[in-house]
Every structure is written in C-alpha cells, then in structure tokens.
C-alpha cells in the first residue's frame, strides 16, 4: 500500500526563493541585516487565507499560503528565521513540517502589504 500525502512532482509548478539572513555593511560601514537567496526550488503553492484589516489607522492586506517543496539536504534546515520570495512578495515563514520522511516539506507562510 502506497502512502502519499504530498503533491505529484508535476504539481511543483511555482519557482520560489528561500531567503536567508546575512550581514552586510551599509554606505557608512554599519552592519545591517539583509536577506539573500539561499536556494531556489520548485514548489506547489496553495493560498490559505487572505484578509484586509485595520489597525492603528493603517489598512493592510495579508495573505497566507502553503508551499510544498521536495525535501533535500539543501532545504532540510529551513525554519522560521528564513523567508520566501514568491510572485513579487516576501513571505515570513510561520512553520515548517516534514510530510513523509525525507520526501516533502510543507511550509506555511504569510505576507503583509500596507496601504494607507
């Protein structure tokens, strides 16, 4: 009996960048934290929810999504300190879980765009 909870390989149709924090120096030599592409992978993307909220006289829209990627040694240590670049947005990683041992990683992430 086959146990398959992940997508078919053909469903991995979205290219995403996993972004990792790095330290750089600004124009005056001060250290700053930046995010650079750590690895680029194919993913299955499913929007989980979207919302528009008002907080402190500021309107913002948020979008949560689930990304499923193939497990590999390159992505084995992805965690909530990393981010995802996808479709012109940067998503904060909320959680990462392995589905099927060493086969898939399911990443839940959210992004927020402010509008006034």
């Amino acid at each position: 009996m086959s146990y398959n909870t992940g997508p078919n390989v053909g469903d991995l149709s979205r290219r995403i960048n996993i972004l990792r924090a790095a330290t750089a120096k600004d124009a005056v030599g001060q250290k700053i934290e930046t995010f650079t592409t750590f690895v680029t992978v194919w993913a299955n993307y499913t929007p989980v929810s979207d919302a528009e909220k008002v907080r402190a006289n500021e309107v913002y829209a948020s979008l949560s999504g689930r990304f499923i990627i193939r497990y590999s040694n390159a992505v084995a240590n992805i965690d909530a300190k990393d981010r995802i670049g996808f479709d012109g947005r940067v998503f904060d990683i909320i959680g990462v879980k392995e589905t099927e041992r060493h086969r898939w990683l399911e990443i839940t992430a959210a992004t927020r765009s402010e509008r006034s």
Side-chain angles (χ1 to χ4, degrees), residues 34-103:
T34 64
F35 280 83
T36 60
T37 299
F38 168 65
V39 65
T40 301
V41 296
W42 290 100
N44 175 275
Y45 170 71
T46 304
V48 176
S49 69
D50 57 0
E52 187 171 287
K53 300 177 182 178
V54 177
R55 185 184 329 175
N57 295 325
E58 179 181 286
V59 176
Y60 70 90
S62 64
L63 173 66
S64 298
R66 184 169 297 118
F67 298 88
I68 298 177
I69 63 174
R70 283 179 158 234
Y71 180 93
S72 71
N73 288 336
V75 299
N77 65 350
I78 292 173
D79 61 27
K81 293 179 282 195
D82 299 318
R83 295 182 180 169
I84 294 176
F86 168 67
D87 201 23
R89 297 177 182 214
V90 175
F91 287 75
D92 293 320
I93 294 176
I94 297 167
V96 179
K97 69 179 178 181
E98 190 176 331
T99 61
E100 291 188 61
R101 184 166 164 75
H102 296 290
R103 183 153 182 183

Side-chain angles (χ1 to χ4, degrees), residues 2-8 68 98-101 103-104 106:
S2 174
Y3 179 73
N4 184 4
T5 59
N8 293 318
I68 298 177
E98 190 176 331
T99 61
E100 291 188 61
R101 184 166 164 75
R103 183 153 182 183
W104 306 106
E106 181 180 296

Side-chain angles (χ1 to χ4, degrees), residues 20-31:
R20 183 151 286 169
T23 303
K25 290 187 179 182
D26 65 12
V28 294
Q30 297 291 323
K31 288 184 179 181

